[in-house]
Amino acid sequence: MNVQSILSTKGTAVATIASEATLSDAVATLRDHGVGALVVSDDGSTINGILSERDVVRSIAAHGAPALDTAVGAAMSANVVTCQPADTVDRLMAMMTERRIRHVPVLDSDGTMAGIISIGDVVKFRVGELESENANLHNYIQGRA
Ligand code: AMP
């Protein structure tokens, strides 16, 4: 199974924020979308970086409450790890584990953003796979296959 199969179920929407926005804006945007990370993009399509809840926590731990008035661009990760729709879910899981990241934007072959996969999406997908495998084995054992 590949990244495209997850996108087909969850959709292609990506929550973004501009690098000039403040961390306070980012916190509100994370809440409004119910997500744990935002792709940072000044034009809504080109990726400038990624900002996760962890970056906000790190910034507040370092600077206190005034961090909320500083720009997203100063707290984001600028070297963004991405994947492609054809990548396998196993490869994506390995990427998340090795790099210790929980969010990976998906880029089409022409570089356009095609969605974002979170570790929660991967877990949901894997649990679904295991449940249907389990049901198939039960049916097989009981001679219903
Ligand atoms: P996360 O585990 O996704 O909440 O993020 C942990 C750290 O990794 C934060 O500093 C993020 O900015 C960074 N990060 C998250 N996703 C990516 C990604 N796809 N590429 C690069 N850095 C990332």
Side-chain angles (χ1 to χ4, degrees), residues 36 50-55 58 76-77 79-81 100-105:
I50 189 162
L51 181 90
S52 94
E53 293 160 327
R54 198 161 287 189
D55 299 313
R58 199 177 285 143
M76 70 183 189
S77 298
N79 292 323
V80 182
V81 177
R100 294 176 179 271
I101 54 175
R102 293 172 295 180
H103 303 88
V104 180

